Amino acid sequence: MNDLLPFRSLLTPEGRALLDEVRGTAPADELAVATRLRREHPADLVSAALGQARLRQRAAAKFGAEDAERMFFTPNGVEQSTRTSVAAYRAGRLRELGVTSVADLCCGIGGDALALARAGIRVLAVDRDPLTAEVARANAEALGLGELIEVREADVTEVDTSSYDAVFVDPARRGGRGRIFDPEAYSPPLSWAVGAASAARVAALKIAPGIPHETVPAGAEAEWISDGGDVKEAVLWFGAGIRPGAVRATLLPGPRSLLGRGLPDPRVRPVGRYLYEPDGAVIRAHLVAEVAESVGGGLVDETIAYITADELRPTPYASAYEITDQLHFNVKKLKALLREREVGTLTVKKRGSAVEPEELRRKVKPQGPHSATVFLTRVAGAPTMLLGAPANG
């Protein structure tokens, strides 16, 4: 309850006016601003307003500056909430499945509920933490979505969801000591979430992207989602309109979705003219073989997710590079080659190498007007450096 009082003070006319006044305050100016404002406002309110302004600045990357400036956040809420682009994609897919109402269990500060409501879906948003539920309710009102979102403070395991078309579950995957890797240590446990999802007509269960494939329930479709090349989450889909056992990689913006076809692992072959770096969602979904087939390529090493081919076939599921040089790992040779090519801007990528990119840059000291990309990897088991540049086409 103690946490609720400072937050509720921000919803008063004085609190809202103060939030407007401290908007955009730089960290270096906080002390001076706080000292000035405490002459006219309670110290607790000033602290709460400055803290909220700081959280809004952090949240802009996920929610966009326009929404973030109107929303309210908690530190955990900023850290754990879904990026708007991902939440909007998921809400759109639920809408395509004919869903008109969703029970959003473990709703957090309401990021997913907001996206669902904006897709025209009625939402019951549930969280057991009083402050988090209050923040979710304030966010629904702040964005004009209060009529579509009912926020309930409750234990999700005790909520009757039978009157809703779908269930969305986002178990807490962080504890007092940081990220939780054991799915049964989620709150609620993954087994409970799977049971709740399996009982619904349609369900989506958000999980960590590192979940082992063997733990995916047989009746679920597993989807890995990336945004701008960064893997954001995995989702288990259940129910009507879902393909049990299917595996999918979805790339945002787009969306572009690659559906697995159960292909065998690609063959290993010598490095060709082009190297393809699959998107992280493709790798997490174990769909490198599908991309390799589409570009007519093979792997540089059986344990490395780099694809090589002799011709350029652009694909949205991998970045293509034209390879100019293949060297056994040797920093002195690389340094000499970069000096000869007058390379001053060096992008370092690695898979299967223990060398840190910054360490390599310090050693080779690139100088000059040109740019290049070096891949630190293994080719047929041997430590190798591949030098090249993004391919055009």
Side-chain angles (χ1 to χ4, degrees), residues 93 221-222 243 245-250 256-263 287 290 317:
R93 191 168 177 199
E221 174 194 307
R243 296 177 55 178
V247 176
R248 182 191 303 261
T250 296
R256 296 177 181 272
S257 284
L258 178 64
L259 197 61
R261 292 184 285 121
L263 299 180
L287 299 181
E290 280 73 4
Y317 303 110

Side-chain angles (χ1 to χ4, degrees), residues 14-378:
E14 182 182 10
R16 291 181 184 276
L18 201 55
L19 282 171
D20 288 339
E21 188 168 351
V22 300
R23 179 184 294 131
T25 300
D29 299 330
E30 281 190 5
L31 181 58
V33 170
T35 301
R36 174 174 58 82
L37 292 176
R38 283 170 181 160
R39 296 172 189 147
E40 302 176 7
H41 303 280
D44 287 349
L45 179 58
V46 172
S47 296
L50 284 169
Q52 195 60 226
R54 196 180 313 123
L55 292 173
R56 285 176 167 181
Q57 291 172 19
R58 285 175 53 195
K62 281 189 175 182
F63 291 90
E66 184 178 350
D67 279 355
E69 284 297 338
R70 293 187 289 164
M71 292 173 64
F72 297 90
F73 301 96
T74 64
N76 284 341
V78 173
E79 182 71 27
Q80 299 180 25
S81 57
T82 304
R83 182 178 290 264
T84 292
S85 54
V86 179
Y89 161 74
R90 201 187 316 102
R93 191 168 177 199
L94 284 166
R95 187 72 189 183
E96 289 172 1
L97 291 169
V99 170
T100 61
S101 62
V102 172
D104 177 3
L105 307 181
C106 311
C107 69
I109 61 168
D112 288 287
L114 297 172
L116 290 163
R118 281 176 165 167
I121 297 172
R122 182 171 57 87
V123 185
L124 169 65
V126 183
D127 202 283
R128 69 180 180 182
D129 179 68
L131 174 60
T132 302
E134 189 103 353
V135 172
R137 192 174 293 111
N139 285 334
E141 296 297 331
L143 298 188
L145 298 167
E147 291 187 2
L148 280 172
I149 301 174
E150 175 195 347
V151 179
R152 187 181 302 173
E153 179 194 329
D155 184 331
V156 297
T157 64
E158 299 174 357
V159 175
D160 179 8
T161 62
S162 59
S163 62
Y164 292 84
D165 293 342
V167 167
F168 172 66
V169 192
D170 181 8
R173 297 183 300 281
R174 284 184 177 274
R177 297 184 178 180
R179 192 177 300 277
I180 297 171
F181 295 97
D182 177 9
E184 285 308 298
Y186 291 174
S187 179
L190 181 62
S191 56
W192 179 90
V194 169
S198 301
R201 185 180 75 80
V202 174
L205 168 56
K206 178 179 171 181
I207 54 176
I211 186 172
H213 280 232
E214 58 269 21
T215 65
V216 173
E221 174 194 307
E223 178 179 30
W224 279 260
I225 303 173
S226 68
D227 186 15
D230 294 329
V231 181
K232 294 302 179 184
E233 66 180 54
V235 185
L236 301 181
W237 294 90
F238 299 80
I242 303 303
R243 296 177 55 178
V247 176
R248 182 191 303 261
T250 296
L251 281 56
L252 303 176
R256 296 177 181 272
S257 284
L258 178 64
L259 197 61
R261 292 184 285 121
L263 299 180
D265 291 339
R267 64 188 176 92
V268 176
R269 52 149 291 173
V271 176
R273 182 176 178 183
Y274 295 99
L275 188 77
Y276 294 85
E277 181 183 28
D279 183 271
V282 171
I283 295 172
R284 292 281 195 174
H286 296 180
L287 299 181
V288 173
E290 280 73 4
V291 175
E293 183 185 73
S294 71
V295 300
L299 299 180
V300 299
D301 184 275
E302 64 180 5
T303 64
I304 303 295
Y306 282 141
I307 300 166
T308 186
D310 296 319
E311 58 183 77
L312 181 61
R313 297 185 192 174
T315 170
Y317 303 110
S319 301
Y321 296 82
E322 186 170 7
I323 299 302
T324 57
D325 301 89
Q326 178 177 344
L327 308 168
H328 291 298
F329 184 83
N330 186 304
V331 175
K332 288 184 179 179
K333 286 185 178 180
L334 178 63
K335 184 176 182 179
L337 184 60
L338 296 175
R339 187 186 302 118
E340 177 187 329
R341 305 272 174 85
E342 297 184 304
V343 172
T345 302
L346 182 66
T347 300
V348 182
K349 293 177 173 287
K350 68 167 195 166
R351 284 209 181 118
S353 172
V355 178
E356 292 300 325
E358 286 305 317
E359 176 188 353
L360 183 68
R361 285 195 196 91
R362 284 196 300 270
K363 289 181 177 179
V364 299
K365 301 175 182 176
Q367 290 182 335
H370 302 136
S371 61
T373 300
V374 62
F375 295 86
L376 308 178
T377 187
R378 292 194 302 272

